[in-house]
Amino acid sequence: MVSPAIALAFVPLLLTVIIRYRFYFVLLYRAVLVRIWKDCVSGLSREERAYQYVLTHATPGDPDSILDTFDNWCSKVEFISNIGPKKGKILDRLLMEQSPLVVLELGAHCGYSTVRIARALPLGARLYSVEMDQRNAAITEKIIRLAGFDDDTLIVNPSDEVIPRLQSDYGLERLDFVFMDHWKKCYLPDLQMLEGSGLLGKGSVIVADNVLFPGAPKFLRHIRKSGLYEWKIHRATLEYSKGIRDGMAELQISLPVPSAG
């Protein structure tokens, strides 16, 4: 057995670890443990529970009300990794500045960012949202219709299958704005696929969330070395959390992009 003296010697170290990483422990509790427990108790997925809350508390046809209700649920009830209100305002500003006419969203999840993007677009703009999970896509569809956006296109397939078909299946000739918030390991291959698609041109903007936490180091390394982009990191904290540093990457193409083939 470990003697009491040795055990007590580890107490300061344990307290230091707990204090230093307290925000991560809180995130583990909210994002994982609470989710597992409520999945078992409710019989619904976390995204389905979020939709039920929004349906009950938000005003139909009012995108601001739907986003505020989502934010309240994610802050006070359960954690969902939406872009959130703080980084969301950065995205809003970029969309207002660029006024894009053709937007691609990779990772709709349960529709929060889809509504956020749609409400900021100019009249006549088109939004193509990609979500690979069928259950989440069904919720996204309900959320964007609840917000009053009936013209946006939701594509239910993995991004690496959708990107090569954007021209042939959807008639796209250029992407003015791309928002990435799907699997971080997909950021780099999807960006490279877009670079080779002929859909990106000078002035096209790509925004990628969560590049610092959980992080997308290969993606960041590529944009630094490629020479194609003027880029910056908008630093913030992780959505609906305190003390966890995160950021969004903003890329604007400054040179002609050589297309594949």
Side-chain angles (χ1 to χ4, degrees):
M1 292 181 62
V2 178
S3 70
I6 295 176
L8 285 173
F10 282 96
V11 170
L13 176 61
L14 179 61
L15 290 175
T16 300
V17 170
I18 291 173
I19 292 170
R20 182 174 181 179
Y21 295 102
R22 63 192 182 279
F23 299 115
Y24 297 91
F25 289 129
V26 171
L27 178 63
L28 174 66
Y29 170 75
R30 295 190 64 227
V32 179
L33 300 181
V34 170
R35 177 182 183 176
I36 292 172
W37 175 63
K38 292 201 173 182
D39 282 355
C40 295
V41 171
S42 69
L44 300 173
S45 71
R46 179 183 55 180
E47 290 75 16
E48 289 168 333
R49 293 192 295 274
Y51 170 69
Q52 291 296 329
Y53 185 90
V54 172
L55 185 64
T56 303
H57 293 84
T59 303
D62 184 346
D64 292 343
S65 172
I66 288 170
L67 293 175
D68 289 344
T69 305
F70 251 121
D71 289 334
N72 188 67
W73 192 85
C74 295
S75 298
K76 299 178 180 179
V77 183
E78 289 187 63
F79 177 88
I80 282 187
S81 184
N82 298 317
I83 187 175
K86 294 181 179 179
K87 288 183 290 181
K89 289 179 180 178
I90 300 172
L91 179 62
D92 294 345
R93 175 174 57 79
L94 295 174
L95 288 165
M96 295 293 184
E97 290 173 355
Q98 298 297 323
S99 294
L101 293 178
V102 182
V103 178
L104 175 66
E105 177 191 26
L106 299 177
H109 195 185
C110 50
Y112 178 95
S113 55
T114 312
V115 171
R116 186 142 213 145
I117 293 169
R119 73 167 185 172
L121 295 182
L123 188 65
R126 294 289 301 175
L127 171 59
Y128 298 84
S129 297
V130 179
E131 174 54 50
M132 67 175 293
D133 187 285
Q134 292 188 355
R135 293 179 68 182
N136 290 346
I139 293 167
T140 295
E141 182 79 24
K142 294 175 184 177
I143 289 290
I144 58 180
R145 301 304 173 234
L146 186 66
F149 299 114
D150 298 322
D151 297 327
D152 301 316
T153 301
L154 179 61
I155 305 169
V156 187
N157 259 322
S159 55
D160 61 348
E161 296 180 13
V162 174
I163 292 171
R165 304 202 315 264
L166 287 172
Q167 290 171 307
S168 60
D169 290 8
Y170 300 95
L172 300 190
E173 297 179 357
R174 174 187 165 94
L175 291 169
D176 300 315
F177 197 102
V178 178
F179 178 61
M180 294 183 169
D181 196 12
H182 54 326
W183 291 104
K184 312 315 163 195
K185 66 181 180 180
C186 297
Y187 279 16
L188 176 57
D190 284 356
L191 178 62
Q192 292 174 322
M193 208 176 301
L194 287 168
E195 290 172 352
S197 70
L199 291 169
L200 299 178
K202 189 173 181 179
S204 294
V205 171
I206 300 103
V207 174
D209 193 19
N210 303 125
V211 295
L212 300 183
F213 184 87
K218 293 181 180 179
F219 172 83
L220 293 178
R221 194 177 307 122
H222 172 75
I223 64 176
R224 290 189 188 105
K225 292 182 177 180
S226 69
L228 291 173
Y229 306 101
E230 295 178 2
W231 64 278
K232 66 176 71 172
I233 302 293
H234 297 277
R235 296 184 181 274
T237 54
L238 183 70
E239 52 272 12
Y240 314 115
S241 300
K242 296 179 180 179
I244 300 178
R245 296 179 181 179
D246 191 20
M248 292 197 307
E250 175 196 351
L251 295 62
Q252 185 163 26
I253 295 180
S254 57
L255 295 173
V257 180
S259 59

